[in-house]
């Protein structure tokens, strides 16, 4: 799960918007050959009509357009939807190489306005060489947005993230799954049934053709790295330079080949990888938010406090849910591990909770944003693979996870709305392979709570000679120009500007 929705609103103690992994194989059974028939094979399509972009605070150079794509790529003559696209031209026309497509995380995030935001943090040499192009994936933001019309209680993050009950019961999660799936089926229309990672990849190729480009370069982050890997598999000869940043396990190795379940399961190891860095920070002498004398003491304190809040939650008027319980604290912990800059906020929340207090209620994210993000994330995960429907499966998985990974208390193995999803995937998962041109650079933080290093290594192994991987000695989610380090940033920039990758896999200490 990435930060696109997660960071929309927050206070210093607790993030409040929704995001998913990653951010996080996927179910679309087209081969590269059959997929190519679903999009224009050449480099040109009908010219786009560029106009003013909606919104405030945008770079005045940013222009927007809409690309029409099939609702159902297996029926290219049928209903159409619009994909909103933005562009800032290369700043040095004589050095222009092509377009750099920014693929946001989520699922549920968009990059339409990122060309004016994080895109402007790209080094000058990258901005000189590429048109920066962003887009909202199908169902997101300004691209035919969908909503499941959930009740307010079901918009709580501890409902969307499937935290089990304090005693490990999953009954309430199964009930939430049934309500959410029914609401999406009732209110999401035809589009919610056609939101998947493979369809996002096919839409990207329609965008490429509409831009008049024979190939595109891309920077995909978190779930966007997965979408980029799927695009690279379906359209291997349409990629120029592909950077996959903060990689979920696109092979589905943790879940029998099912990417979506594996994306959630990854939080078990990801949180265990990253939490020790928070614990070291929170036990350091001189830290005004010091929690204990040792890292082990911080871990023990956190686990005891979460268990106490399970039994004795603290009322939290105005929050959703309106109490600080154990799962709300655990959710805040997961989010804080995404960025070490958020460690103080988590420590403040822990210090307040120990006294039976709470900070001011978090400012709620706009409901339309939550409705849209949860609908797209849910549809993507559920349409990307079949999930078990039996309660007993989740009971057993949660019980094992709670024992082995107490920080996440069974959440990564629990039931989401996909346990009650009314339809099956349209296609089989796309398998990531080593067949195709060598155009990929993976960049990965060593201690990432959402997309752990083990998953990135599985992607690297699957890609074989198609890829080189840069592992960064850093904590947090989003490596390039985010929570990585200068060594990793230099490697990515060099590849985008010159086409040169490290001679082999590289470790950036």
């Amino acid at each position: 799960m990435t930060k696109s929705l997660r960071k929309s609103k927050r206070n210093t103690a607790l993030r409040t918007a929704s995001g998913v992994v990653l951010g996080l194989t996927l179910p679309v059974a087209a081969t590269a050959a059959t997929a190519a028939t679903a999009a224009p094979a050449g480099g040109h399509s009908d010219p786009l009509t560029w106009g003013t972009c909606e919104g405030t605070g945008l770079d005045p150079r940013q222009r927007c357009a809409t690309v029409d794509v099939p609702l159902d790529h297996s029926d290219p003559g049928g209903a159409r939807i619009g994909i909103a696209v933005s562009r800032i031209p290369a700043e040095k026309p004589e050095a222009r190489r092509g377009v750099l497509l920014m693929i946001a995380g989520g699922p549920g995030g968009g990059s339409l306005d990122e060309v004016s935001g994080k895109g402007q943090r790209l080094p000058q040499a990258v901005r000189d060489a590429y048109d920066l192009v962003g887009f909202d994936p199908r169902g997101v933001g300004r691209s035919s947005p969908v909503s499941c019309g959930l009740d307010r209680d079901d918009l709580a993050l501890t409902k969307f993230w499937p935290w089990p009950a304090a005693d490990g019961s999953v009954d309430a999660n199964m009930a939430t799954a049934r309500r959410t799936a029914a609401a999406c089926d009732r209110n999401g229309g035809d589009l919610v049934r056609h939101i998947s990672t493979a369809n996002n990849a096919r839409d990207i190729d329609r965008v490429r053709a509409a831009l008049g480009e024979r190939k595109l370069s891309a920077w995909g982050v978190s779930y966007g790295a997965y979408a980029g890997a799927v695009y690279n598999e379906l359209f291997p000869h349409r990629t120029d330079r592909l950077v996959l940043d903060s990689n979920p396990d696109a092979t589905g190795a943790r879940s029998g080949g099912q990417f979506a379940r594996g994306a959630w399961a990854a939080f078990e190891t990801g949180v265990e990888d990253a939490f020790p860095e928070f614990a070291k920070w929170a036990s350091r002498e001189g830290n005004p938010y010091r929690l204990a004398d040792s890292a082990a003491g911080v871990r023990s304190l956190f686990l005891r406090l979460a268990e106490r809040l399970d039994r004795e939650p603290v009322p939290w008027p105005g929050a959703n849910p309106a109490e600080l319980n154990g799962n709300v604290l655990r959710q805040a912990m997961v989010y804080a591990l995404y960025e070490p800059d958020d460690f103080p906020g988590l420590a403040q929340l822990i210090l307040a909770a120990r006294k039976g207090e709470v900070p001011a209620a978090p400012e709620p994210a706009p409901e339309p944003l939550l409705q849209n993000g949860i609908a797209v994330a849910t549809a993507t995960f559920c349409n990307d693979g079949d999930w078990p429907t039996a309660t007993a499966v989740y009971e057993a998985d949660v019980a094992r996870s709670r024992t082995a990974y107490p920080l996440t208390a069974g959440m990564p193995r629990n039931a989401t709305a996909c346990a009650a999803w009314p339809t099956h995937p349209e296609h089989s998962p796309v398998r990531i392979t080593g067949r195709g041109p060598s155009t990929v650079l993976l960049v990965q933080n060593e201690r990432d709570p959402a997309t752990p290093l083990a998953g990135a290594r599985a992607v690297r192994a699957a890609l074989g000679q198609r890829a080189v991987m840069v592992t960064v000695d850093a904590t947090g989610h989003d490596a390039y120009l985010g929570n990585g380090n200068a060594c990793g940033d230099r490697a990515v920039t060099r590849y985008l500007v010159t086409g040169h990758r490290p001679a082999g896999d590289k470790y950036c200490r």
Side-chain angles (χ1 to χ4, degrees):
M1 297 150 203
T2 194
K3 299 178 289 186
S4 54
L5 293 172
R6 193 174 56 84
K7 291 189 73 174
S8 63
K9 295 284 183 179
R10 71 176 185 176
N11 69 3
T12 57
L14 180 64
R15 299 187 183 279
T16 63
S18 101
V20 222
V21 181
L22 319 198
L24 303 157
T25 248
L26 124 118
V28 175
T31 64
T34 58
T37 65
H44 296 276
S45 184
D46 292 337
L48 294 175
T49 301
W50 296 97
T52 302
C53 300
E54 298 179 26
T56 59
L58 303 177
D59 190 302
R61 299 169 298 168
Q62 178 179 322
R63 305 291 281 173
C64 290
T66 300
V67 178
D68 287 333
V69 303
L71 172 66
D72 181 353
H73 281 278
S74 67
D75 181 19
R80 317 284 289 184
I81 58 173
I83 301 297
V85 179
S86 63
R87 180 177 65 182
I88 292 179
E91 296 181 26
K92 194 174 183 180
E94 65 272 23
R96 183 185 184 276
R97 179 175 182 84
V99 302
L100 179 65
L101 182 72
M102 302 176 68
I103 312 176
S111 62
L112 191 68
D113 293 338
E114 284 190 345
V115 296
S116 289
K118 67 185 288 187
Q120 297 309 302
R121 300 202 305 271
L122 285 161
Q124 186 66 51
V126 177
R127 290 184 281 120
D128 285 344
Y130 294 95
D131 296 353
L132 302 184
V133 175
F135 74 107
D136 281 349
R138 56 172 54 205
V140 174
R142 299 187 182 101
S143 294
S144 306
V146 297
S147 170
C148 293
L150 301 178
D151 291 339
R152 182 180 182 276
D153 287 350
D154 286 334
L155 293 175
L157 292 187
T158 47
K159 291 285 186 70
F160 172 73
W161 292 66
W163 295 97
D167 62 358
S169 169
V170 306
D171 291 343
N173 303 104
M174 291 298 290
T176 299
R178 288 189 289 270
R179 286 194 308 274
T180 300
C184 291
D185 188 48
R186 182 172 62 249
N187 301 320
D190 287 340
L191 179 53
V192 83
R193 301 175 185 89
H194 293 285
I195 292 174
S196 69
T197 307
N199 281 338
N200 287 340
R202 296 187 177 101
D203 292 345
I204 287 172
D205 205 57
R206 293 278 178 153
V207 169
R208 174 202 59 78
L211 292 168
E213 302 289 333
R214 294 202 62 83
K215 292 186 176 184
L216 57 76
S217 296
W219 172 24
V221 183
S222 193
Y223 168 77
Y226 176 53
V230 171
Y231 179 79
N232 192 44
E233 197 66 38
L234 295 180
F235 302 95
H237 297 287
R238 298 297 182 198
T239 57
D240 186 13
R241 297 170 185 171
L242 185 60
V243 174
L244 303 182
D245 179 348
S246 304
N247 294 263
D249 183 359
T251 71
R254 296 175 62 89
S255 52
Q258 293 290 352
F259 157 78
R261 286 198 75 200
W264 283 105
F267 280 99
E268 292 175 334
T269 54
V271 168
E272 290 289 348
D273 288 346
F275 189 87
E277 296 302 306
F278 169 74
K280 285 190 290 185
W281 173 88
S283 59
R284 191 173 300 151
E285 288 188 22
N287 184 345
Y289 305 114
R290 194 180 192 198
L291 298 177
D293 294 337
S294 67
V298 173
R299 181 185 178 95
S300 177
L301 182 157
F302 178 84
L303 291 172
R304 291 197 311 270
L305 179 60
E307 290 174 358
R308 192 190 89 190
L309 292 171
D310 284 337
R311 300 187 303 271
E312 304 170 5
V314 179
W316 203 352
N320 186 18
E323 63 180 26
L324 175 57
N325 58 39
N327 285 338
V328 171
L329 181 67
R330 295 180 184 103
Q331 183 71 60
M333 176 269 295
V334 172
Y335 277 164
L337 296 180
Y338 275 64
E339 295 191 43
D341 286 349
D342 291 341
F343 286 178
L346 175 60
Q348 287 176 279
L349 184 64
I350 291 171
L351 290 169
R354 291 179 69 186
K355 301 175 184 177
E357 301 172 354
V358 291
E363 181 183 354
E367 182 170 325
L369 176 67
L370 286 175
Q371 292 281 8
N372 183 219
I374 290 175
V376 173
T378 300
T380 305
F381 284 126
C382 300
N383 292 331
D384 268 12
D386 272 323
W387 289 55
T389 59
T391 302
V393 171
Y394 297 103
E395 288 176 335
D397 285 353
V398 165
R400 286 191 292 268
S401 183
R402 285 167 64 85
T403 298
Y405 304 97
L407 288 171
T408 46
M411 178 276 292
R413 298 284 180 172
N414 204 357
T416 70
C418 304
W421 202 245
T423 60
H424 294 285
E426 296 177 284
H427 306 285
S428 301
V430 171
R431 190 166 68 90
I432 305 304
T433 73
R435 296 188 299 272
S438 185
T439 60
V440 181
L441 178 66
L442 293 89
V443 60
Q444 179 71 37
N445 283 348
E446 194 168 13
R447 298 170 294 278
D448 185 323
T451 55
L453 180 59
R457 285 175 169 163
V459 178
R460 170 68 188 89
L463 288 169
Q465 297 301 312
R466 300 175 75 182
V468 171
M469 180 164 160
V470 175
T471 302
V472 181
D473 178 14
T475 301
H477 193 53
D478 294 7
Y480 181 50
L481 306 181
N483 293 306
N485 65 23
C487 168
D489 290 352
R490 284 194 300 268
V492 175
T493 298
R494 182 170 183 257
Y495 179 49
L496 290 174
V497 174
T498 71
H500 295 299
R501 296 174 296 182
D505 291 350
K506 177 183 177 69
Y507 183 71
C508 277
R509 189 172 300 281

